[in-house]
Amino acid sequence: MAGARARACGRGRVGKLRRQALEARLARPPPPWPQRPPGRPGPAMIKAILIFNNHGKPRLSKFYQPYSEDTQQQIIRETFHLVSKRDENVCNFLEGGLLIGGSDNKLIYRHYATLYFVFCVDSSESELGILDLIQVFVETLDKCFENVCELDLIFHVDKVHNILAEMVMGGMVLETNMNEIVTQIDAQNKLEKSETFIFQSPRQDR
Amino acid sequence: MPAVSKGDGMRGLAVFISDIRNCKSKEAEIKRINKELANIRSKFKGDKALDGYSKKKYVCKLLFIFLLGHDIDFGHMEAVNLLSSNKYTEKQIGYLFISVLVNSNSELIRLINNAIKNDLASRNPTFMCLALHCIANVGSREMGEAFAADIPRILVAGDSMDSVKQSAALCLLRLYKASPDLVPMGEWTARVVHLLNDQHMGVVTAAVSLITCLCKKNPDDFKTCISLAVSRLSRIVSSASTDLQDYTYYFVPAPWLSVKLLRLLQCYPPPEDAAVKGRLVECLETVLNKAQEPPKSKKVQHSNAKNAILFETISLIIHYDSEPNLLVRACNQLGQFLQHRETNLRYLALESMCTLASSEFSHEAVKTHIDTVINALKTERDVSVRQRAADLLYAMCDRSNAKQIVSEMLRYLETADYAIREEIVLKVAILAEKYAVDYSWYVDTILNLIRIAGDYVSEEVWYRVLQIVTNRDDVQGYAAKTVFEALQAPACHENMVKVGGYILGEFGNLIAGDPRSSPPVQFSLLHSKFHLCSVATRALLLSTYIKFINLFPETKATIQGVLRAGSQLRNADVELQQRAVEYLTLSSVASTDVLATVLEEMPPFPERESSILAKLKRKKGPGAASALDDGRRDVSSNDINGGVEPTPSTVSTPSPSADLLGLRAAPPPAASPAPASTRNLLVDVFSDGPAAQPSLGPTPEEAFLSELEPPAPESPMALLADPAPAADPGPEDIGPPIPEADELLNKFVCKNSGVLFENQLLQIGVKSEFRQNLGRMYLFYGNKTSVQFQNFSPMVVHPGELQTQLAVQTKRVAGQVDGGAQVQQVLNIECLRDFLTPPLLSVRFRYGGAPQSLTLKLPVTINKFFQPTEMAAQDFFQRWKQLSLPLQEAQKIFKANHPMDAEVTKAKLLGFGSALLDNVDPNPENFVGAGIIQTKALQVGCLLRLEPNAQAQMYRLTLRTSKEPVSRHLCELLAQQF
């Protein structure tokens, strides 16, 4: 009995000390900064990059956040649905679909001939900056493929991924300078060429 | 020369893709794909070693198939093998496959990490970049653990190539975002800041991104970046359009880097150093000036790039909020964009103006654009733009223009897109309340809302109008008159019936003098709607009727007739039936005095923040409700998330009828207290139990004491209140449990207190007690930072059928947790029947504006409801034999994960909940236990036997219970403890 009481007292004292420490901490003036949250919350990030054609056929999908395969397909469909029903000449930004995170995210897209290029970004990315980035991406594709068209994207998915990887990495913009990107891709191609001689004859290649 | 020549693709791949494209139907496509998958699978499985080229080709095919939406469940191993190739092409395709088809398969991750480690150490910049890309793209915690320490070294190493530095910076950023605790701060941080001076603009861009993220956590460590960023920015801004050559985009020098630098500066207050500040202001002015210059190109890319910088500059100006001159200039510039022919610019201008509206210097300037904005709301073709216009109107609203804005928004509501109606309704409701000069205008507005968009008027909105009417005598008569008139419309929305029913029940007497709205007229008007309404509304109307009996004795006979009707007294809905029976009895047995006391008018609600505002904040995130913060003119309290915000009661919104009779002081949206009966039961259970054991966690003595006090006498009408808790939010509302959740849960199988979870921000302690099928758990949420958590809302969710197996009642906690403070939450748990999965605990809050969410498994496992049972050896064996059906037994043989100590094992078994029986097993090394799992519905007897084998370092565990899934589940739970 006495032991139990002693224990209880001890616990009480610890509790009291902890409370005092807490009060002391709370009594201190708050840290001077940040006084207010920055204009846009959180670090900017690209969540996903999607390319699909006018019928919603995906031509490239790159997700920078883990989603299950099923969700990825649903996001592509939802995004297509949101983007394709918009008129030409409306603005290039809209709130993201529910699957990708709702109004905390934005879809920034451009429509070129048969293809939609859509970037899903969080609300702290600069909209116009991303539009520029899409333009750089398309111009780079155009340089690499010479008059790029949908077929190039279909038959060279790996190349498109490589080009994209030179621009965006882990959802963050790596490089915006087109010449730099093209130089890197050229260097890769040289490497590839130098390795080609060991490949099989293309005729038996199925 | 094009960088990718068209001829050198892989022929087999091209043929396959053409085949797919030629498929006439979906079925044909699936067939072709399955054929190809089978082919690839056989190639991968075949004896013949594949050369790198073939592997590459097949992996490419798999990628293509994946893109078409088919699951790929093999090929990962081959892709991993490609990583260790020393040919660039093969390595690259391997990395590509992995970053597209990330798999959290831990076996593979180890192999992948190994390959990455080799590539990082290879000193071949191309390989290093591939490896860094892979880490950044996958960004998983395992990778963070493996590489977070190496990457800073690569980043600041003197001999790293520019491209490697660039990739390393972003890679580190990604890891830091994913798991900030893994990235060690150190002397490298100072050197990262100096990357802002790097020759290579790409490196600078990557470094700025990294610093922007890191400095949020440790602003002081990175403070030196301000002056470096300013001087870099000023060099870019003042350079001629051709100076930066490659980084000049459509005649604009380095737009991307400029935007990033401006963003970085928004992490800090205005520079203290006057020289730096002067230079920065000069920069900002230059940007504003350049925006007015004639464009150097007619291309849209030129204007986009220029305006990207301009908008970010304006953001910074708004952020500083200290240069009235610049703020007004910014506002004027945005004003020009409001009518720009480019839709994008109109959109962005409306968006930026929303933030400008909250600055004291520019609020008036923003207001001058009201007509343009209203016009945009009416005429814009694009719903995104209209939405921004509605946001801006909301932000610029104040007493002077509230009537105009509210009426415009109401008008817009009639044609608004369905998607945004609810939001507009909330906004109108808030503005009408906030800026109401006379409350009759407010009542009119809300009734208009219900009339125009009744379906979108949520509970919060109509609860609120009732609160306000109840609290203000001057508007009660008007409200009664108006709802009475509104109800006369042949078709009115059910929400109108609810509001009408409530208000007439309370204040119908105020208009009863007018023969056109005499008591019988009021009653028959309400009752004419009765049959068209849902159960909840009918329940509310029944309460209105009993109030009428008190208000207007002359209606008593009619109403009793209604209550007595078979359709009420024998209603299939138990709530309606109960109300009819109880009200009928009450009206016949109680004296007029008793009736007058019981059915008295509602007392005023305590003043508190509008729950509508909370709802809007929840819906829109921060920023949406900024206009309503009183403190908006005050820089120091400009935190729009701050202020008092009660945690919205998402867990249990009582039905509106709960407080209709006004016997509780709490306003309708408050959670109803736990039913008294359960509380008493728990008090009994605990009061005769032994004293609480000393615990690791903080002590809840006060809580115990307060709970032991006799419960406050419940008012006699509590029986009539509706205790039905609203449906729990479904599990789809919360994220999946964190990866460690199972491991954390395992720690609590044999103990009841300790630290459940801890990261940099939050510590969750737990202490629980269980008696029979009841339990009480204390959760302690400790804020480890110095910043207040906002919208703090922990919530218990029962996935699947658990709802019928376990009842958990939670008490709400305050919505804010101060820095360094701890809040406690009490959970009352009742085990209804045996269950296998634990409930989930979802904790959400905002920390420094960023939403955080976390899902854990609540440490409630079936063994917590174990009651130890002592029995003699003979009894034990008899029962053991009785439970001899094959399914009743579960057995597991497993390796010891901990040293095999008999005392520790004993303690664990006791902690598990069973009694330990000595002298039962002939082998004294073995352990034998028995107990009964207590649930409300049934009792499950359990016998267990644990046989350690010290030589083999193995255990054999055997469980026999009367219920098969329980045996297996207990066996699994217990096996993980040794």
Side-chain angles (χ1 to χ4, degrees), chain B residues 729-735 797-800 840:
Chain B
E732 64 273 14
D733 292 343
I734 64 161
V797 182
H798 304 68
L840 300 180

Side-chain angles (χ1 to χ4, degrees), chain A residues 46-90:
Chain A
I46 299 170
K47 301 277 180 74
I49 295 174
L50 308 174
I51 305 179
F52 40 73
N53 70 7
N54 291 346
H55 307 290
K57 276 253 177 233
R59 293 306 178 207
L60 175 97
S61 70
K62 179 82 189 144
F63 289 83
Y64 295 100
Q65 287 205 323
Y67 292 102
S68 73
E69 283 114 25
D70 229 26
T71 319
Q72 292 189 7
Q73 290 296 324
Q74 282 172 14
I75 289 175
I76 296 174
R77 275 198 295 277
E78 184 187 44
T79 310
F80 170 70
H81 182 75
L82 285 171
V83 169
S84 63
K85 69 175 181 199
R86 294 171 62 84
D87 298 337
E88 299 291 325
N89 302 325
V90 298

Side-chain angles (χ1 to χ4, degrees), chain A residues 47-203:
Chain A
K47 301 277 180 74
I49 295 174
L50 308 174
I51 305 179
F52 40 73
N53 70 7
N54 291 346
H55 307 290
K57 276 253 177 233
R59 293 306 178 207
L60 175 97
S61 70
K62 179 82 189 144
F63 289 83
Y64 295 100
Q65 287 205 323
Y67 292 102
S68 73
E69 283 114 25
D70 229 26
T71 319
Q72 292 189 7
Q73 290 296 324
Q74 282 172 14
I75 289 175
I76 296 174
R77 275 198 295 277
E78 184 187 44
T79 310
F80 170 70
H81 182 75
L82 285 171
V83 169
S84 63
K85 69 175 181 199
R86 294 171 62 84
D87 298 337
E88 299 291 325
N89 302 325
V90 298
C91 74
N92 298 85
F93 327 122
L94 61 154
E95 278 185 5
L98 290 176
L99 292 169
I100 195 114
S103 58
D104 288 346
N105 291 292
K106 285 177 292 201
L107 302 178
I108 297 170
Y109 73 100
R110 254 178 198 283
H111 190 191
Y112 294 89
T114 63
L115 292 174
Y116 284 98
F117 286 69
V118 186
F119 280 44
C120 308
V121 302
D122 69 16
S123 52
S124 44
E125 282 286 1
S126 152
E127 289 92 343
L128 291 174
I130 294 287
L131 272 188
D132 288 347
L133 195 67
I134 298 179
Q135 178 70 18
V136 171
F137 184 31
V138 173
E139 286 185 24
T140 312
L141 288 174
D142 202 50
K143 261 200 184 158
C144 293
F145 285 109
E146 255 185 6
N147 281 329
V148 66
C149 68
E150 192 180 338
L151 283 178
D152 295 318
L153 268 56
I154 298 173
F155 285 98
H156 301 279
V157 179
D158 53 328
K159 296 281 175 213
V160 181
H161 269 290
N162 292 344
I163 293 167
L164 185 61
E166 292 300 324
M167 295 181 62
V168 179
M169 166 173 165
M172 284 139 321
V173 178
L174 180 66
E175 186 55 75
T176 54
N177 173 358
M178 198 171 16
N179 292 335
E180 183 85 28
I181 300 167
V182 175
T183 315
Q184 292 287 344
I185 297 289
D186 277 336
Q188 288 177 15
N189 286 325
K190 282 210 191 85
L191 263 173
E192 213 166 295
K193 283 259 163 54
S194 69
E195 291 171 354
T196 320
F197 67 95
I198 47 138
F199 288 170
Q200 284 176 303
S201 139
R203 223 163 314 151

Side-chain angles (χ1 to χ4, degrees), chain B residues 390-635:
Chain B
D391 286 348
L392 178 53
L393 282 181
Y394 177 77
M396 67 163 68
C397 191
D398 62 18
R399 213 168 283 277
S400 70
N401 55 20
K403 282 205 171 162
Q404 186 188 6
I405 287 179
V406 165
S407 77
E408 289 297 342
M409 283 171 104
L410 273 175
R411 196 168 309 152
Y412 173 59
L413 191 56
E414 297 187 36
T415 54
D417 311 72
Y418 295 110
I420 63 172
R421 282 194 181 182
E422 188 184 357
E423 195 187 314
I424 302 251
V425 166
L426 292 174
K427 286 183 169 161
V428 169
I430 292 168
L431 293 179
E433 178 189 337
K434 178 86 181 174
Y435 299 114
V437 188
D438 63 302
Y439 278 87
S440 51
W441 174 71
Y442 168 73
V443 171
D444 285 341
T445 305
I446 301 294
L447 294 185
N448 268 332
L449 270 184
I450 299 179
R451 204 173 295 139
I452 296 170
D455 285 345
Y456 299 90
V457 173
S458 56
E459 284 175 347
E460 284 88 346
V461 174
W462 66 265
Y463 282 173
R464 186 69 185 164
V465 70
L466 297 183
Q467 285 182 27
I468 287 178
V469 170
T470 309
N471 287 10
R472 310 205 134 254
D473 339 350
D474 51 336
V475 77
Q476 286 161 357
Y478 180 81
K481 183 164 156 287
T482 324
V483 289
F484 179 79
E485 281 161 9
L487 283 174
Q488 276 166 333
C492 56
H493 195 273
E494 193 166 333
N495 281 337
M496 189 71 90
V497 180
K498 289 178 180 160
V499 174
Y502 187 99
I503 289 184
L504 292 181
E506 292 291 324
F507 311 113
N509 54 334
L510 299 177
I511 55 168
D514 187 331
R516 282 164 301 174
S517 52
S518 67
V521 178
Q522 286 186 33
F523 172 74
S524 59
L525 179 61
L526 281 177
H527 199 55
S528 68
K529 317 277 180 198
F530 186 87
H531 304 280
L532 303 170
C533 291
S534 67
V535 169
T537 311
R538 277 192 266 167
L540 186 149
L541 285 179
L542 287 181
S543 301
T544 303
Y545 297 170
I546 186 80
K547 287 224 147 190
F548 270 15
I549 291 183
N550 176 46
L551 285 181
F552 316 121
E554 66 265 38
T555 60
K556 182 168 172 178
T558 326
I559 289 174
Q560 282 184 333
V562 168
L563 294 174
R564 201 176 288 125
S567 58
Q568 311 299 347
L569 277 190
R570 280 190 291 281
N571 195 297
D573 185 87
V574 68
E575 177 67 31
L576 291 181
Q577 192 186 86
Q578 188 176 354
R579 283 190 190 217
V581 171
E582 288 176 357
Y583 290 163
L584 183 59
T585 319
L586 181 70
S587 69
S588 20
V589 300
S591 70
T592 347
D593 283 354
V594 171
L595 269 188
T597 316
V598 172
L599 302 170
E600 205 189 350
E601 188 181 302
M602 286 281 280
F605 293 98
E607 283 300 332
R608 51 183 250 153
E609 193 202 20
S610 160
S611 53
I612 312 177
L613 197 55
K615 170 148 184 169
L616 184 67
K617 284 182 192 170
R618 215 168 354 150
K619 205 171 154 52
K620 286 297 282 181
S626 58
L628 267 292
D629 266 322
D630 280 320
R632 71 169 175 210
R633 305 278 181 269
D634 174 2
V635 179

Side-chain angles (χ1 to χ4, degrees), chain B residues 693-715:
Chain B
Q693 294 148 359
S695 77
L696 300 174
T699 49
E701 292 132 329
E702 301 92 333
F704 264 109
L705 287 177
S706 65
E707 290 295 321
L708 284 169
E709 279 160 18
E714 293 280 338
S715 52

Side-chain angles (χ1 to χ4, degrees), chain A residues 11 22 64 73 86 89 91-92 124 135 139 144 154 162 165 169-170 174-175 177 188-189 192 195 205, chain B residues 3-4 21 53 57 69 88-89 92 133 137 166-167 174 246-247 250 263 301 343-344 382 699 820:
Chain A
R11 209 159 65 228
L22 197 67
Y64 295 100
Q73 290 296 324
R86 294 171 62 84
N89 302 325
C91 74
N92 298 85
S124 44
Q135 178 70 18
E139 286 185 24
C144 293
I154 298 173
N162 292 344
M169 166 173 165
L174 180 66
E175 186 55 75
N177 173 358
Q188 288 177 15
N189 286 325
E192 213 166 295
E195 291 171 354
D205 178 21
Chain B
V4 178
R21 288 171 53 79
Y53 171 72
K57 182 182 67 189
Y88 170 74
T89 33
Q92 186 196 39
H133 276 259
N137 284 333
Q166 221 170 330
S167 301
R174 177 62 197 264
D246 283 355
Y247 282 86
Y250 288 90
R263 176 70 52 80
Q301 284 81 6
T343 318
N344 287 341
D382 185 349
T699 49

Side-chain angles (χ1 to χ4, degrees), chain B residues 678-687 700 703-708 752 766-771 773-779 809 811 824-830 860 865:
Chain B
T678 3
R679 202 156 69 195
N680 284 335
L681 197 55
L682 272 170
V683 168
D684 290 341
V685 164
F686 282 118
S687 54
F704 264 109
L705 287 177
S706 65
E707 290 295 321
L708 284 169
N752 285 335
V766 66
K767 176 171 163 53
S768 52
E769 291 198 56
F770 296 87
R771 294 278 182 282
N773 71 327
L774 299 174
R776 175 173 293 175
M777 179 175 285
Y778 292 87
L779 291 171
Q809 278 181 347
K811 302 246 162 97
Q824 169 192 318
Q825 187 181 31
V826 188
L827 271 55
N828 289 332
I829 302 165
E830 185 181 11
V860 180
F865 304 96

